[in-house]
């Protein structure tokens, strides 16, 4: 007689686990994309939310996952796939023969998640993904600094506590985090292969994720007893009072409000998936292309209205025939102190914005030069407006510490300051500052003057 344990019908397949994990990882970038599109229309109200998206998303899903783990013993996405989480029991208990209805009441009570287990699962579901997204984003931003030389990677002299922390944090992102990230993915692959080729049919002691192994939690399919318990839980509030009227105070109860929100999300998730698949089919189908082509036939589009186009060349002064023209050398400070022609106007402060001329599109050589330093582009970095600069130039420009910006804001028209006595022989001259009269262009594109969403985090390196 064989001592092999019977096949467990409640052990999920690896495909189910990978599908739930993939769907869970697609939710944050999808929400971030929708918020980015909406921010382009309402930047004043949504830009602070977009800059703190990761924190707000973590707090929101912390509340949602806590509700689902407490009510359904599963995460939001796992409940969509009819999966649940339970405590892993020792192999002697986990290999017990399961009935067709699932485990008995005592075994179900023993595997139920406790409050401590719920918070452990929240750390795995919310904390670790949030930390990884932050580290991935920081590593992407910090990667170009390693290409700029030792001046950008060494510890500054007499560093403050914040500078010291940033130095070691960037060192960790450059030297340690790639190995940690590779070990993370290799461990997940190893656990998935072990789960796939495991001979244990009962699923006891087999985990599909290293973090589930650390917290002692395994994922199972929902049984008939679980569905009956959920149905009884859903009918419990309506039968608590006669007629099912819970009163006005029930509307303010956070537990009932979270239950209604969770029920709404259960309907919203499959609806959004259906809408996404429909849009993919619509844009990929030939019917949509023919319909759009037929709709645009004979439609004359007006030329685009350009509110501001920086001048590539400065207007030349008319020559005086009575005086011979002499070439007078100009220093970079004199060029940076000149006010640009037709500068863009800020919609918030109604002040002109300091910008640099756009490179002329007719010259191939000018397109290879940085519009800010007018030298050959090193470490090409693209702004959201499409212009390409040197990484150091556009980084310092957005931070508002570029030499051109500082010189321009300090140097204005010369003002003569005379003393109290009218017969004073010496008069002091100084340059009038442009503070309060111009914007330095900090946080904006150096050519177009448009606001760069996310600051320096919105810059993208160009691979050539």
């Amino acid at each position: 007689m064989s001592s092999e344990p019977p096949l467990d019908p409640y052990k999920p397949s690896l495909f189910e686990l990978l599908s739930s994990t993939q769907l869970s990882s697609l939710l944050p970038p999808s929400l971030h994309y929708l918020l980015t599109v909406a921010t382009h229309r309402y930047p004043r109200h949504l830009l602070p939310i977009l800059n703190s998206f990761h924190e707000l998303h973590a707090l929101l899903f912390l509340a949602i996952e806590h509700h689902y783990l407490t009510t359904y013993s599963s995460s939001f996405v796992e409940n969509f796939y009819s999966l649940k989480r339970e405590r892993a029991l020792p192999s002697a208990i986990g290999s017990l023969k399961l009935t067709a209805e699932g485990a008995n009441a005592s075994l179900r009570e023993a595997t139920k998640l406790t409050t401590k287990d719920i918070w452990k699962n929240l750390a795995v579901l919310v904390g670790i993904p949030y930390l990884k997204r932050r580290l991935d984003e920081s590593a992407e931003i910090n990667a170009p600094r390693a290409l700029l030389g030792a001046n950008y990677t060494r510890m500054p002299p007499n560093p403050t506590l914040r500078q010291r922390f940033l130095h070691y944090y960037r060192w960790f992102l450059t030297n340690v985090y790639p190995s940690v990230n590779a070990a993370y993915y290799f461990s997940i692959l190893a656990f998935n292969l072990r789960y796939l080729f495991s001979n244990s049919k009962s699923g006891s002691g087999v985990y599909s994720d290293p973090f589930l192994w650390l917290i002692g939690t395994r994922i199972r399919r929902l049984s008939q007893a679980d569905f009956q318990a959920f149905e009884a839980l859903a009918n419990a509030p309506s039968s608590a009072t006669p007629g099912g009227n819970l009163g006005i105070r029930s509307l303010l109860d956070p537990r009932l409000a979270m239950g209604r929100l969770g029920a709404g999300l259960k309907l919203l998730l499959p609806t959004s998936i259906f809408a996404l698949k429909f849009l993919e089919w619509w844009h990929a189908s030939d019917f949509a292309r023919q319909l759009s082509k037929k709709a645009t036939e004979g439609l004359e589009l007006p030329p685009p209205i350009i509110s501001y186009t920086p001048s590539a060349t400065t207007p030349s002064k008319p020559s005086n025939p009575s005086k011979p023209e002499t070439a007078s050398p100009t220093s970079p400070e004199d060029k940076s102190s000149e006010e640009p022609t037709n500068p863009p106007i800020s919609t918030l402060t109604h002040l002109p914005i300091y910008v640099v001329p756009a490179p002329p599109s007719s010259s191939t050589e000018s397109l290879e030069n940085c519009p800010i330093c007018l030298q050959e582009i090193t470490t090409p970095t693209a702004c959201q407006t499409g212009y390409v600069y040197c990484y150091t130039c556009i980084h310092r420009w957005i931070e508002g510490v570029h030499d051109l910006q500082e010189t321009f804001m300090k140097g204005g028209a010369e003002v003569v300051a005379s003393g109290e006595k009218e017969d004073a022989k010496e008069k002091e001259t100084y340059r009038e500052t442009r503070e309060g009269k111009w914007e330095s262009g900090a946080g904006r594109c150096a050519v177009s003057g448009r606001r760069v969403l996310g600051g320096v985090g919105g810059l993208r390196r160009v691979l050539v």
Side-chain angles (χ1 to χ4, degrees), residues 359 364-377 388:
T364 307
E365 183 180 357
S366 61
L367 296 178
E368 298 177 355
N369 296 337
C370 175
I372 299 178
C373 65
L374 303 180
Q375 302 296 327
E376 186 177 356
I377 297 178
V388 181

Side-chain angles (χ1 to χ4, degrees), residues 299-338:
L299 182 63
E300 296 182 0
L301 298 177
I305 300 175
I306 303 177
S307 59
Y308 166 68
T309 303
S311 177
T313 58
T314 56
S316 59
K317 297 181 180 180
S319 59
N320 191 352
S322 61
K323 296 182 180 180
E325 295 182 357
T326 57
S328 58
T330 57
S331 62
E333 295 184 358
D334 296 335
K335 291 183 179 180
S336 61
S337 61
E338 296 178 358

Side-chain angles (χ1 to χ4, degrees), residues 145-182:
R145 297 180 64 90
L147 304 176
L148 300 178
N151 293 331
Y152 291 86
T153 56
R154 66 163 59 101
M155 179 83 73
N158 300 324
T160 61
L161 183 61
R162 183 176 182 273
Q163 291 176 339
R164 191 182 299 273
F165 172 77
L166 288 177
H167 172 75
Y168 288 116
Y169 178 62
R170 289 166 180 166
W171 178 87
F172 168 79
L173 293 176
T174 305
N175 300 283
V176 180
Y177 181 67
S179 302
V180 175
N181 197 28

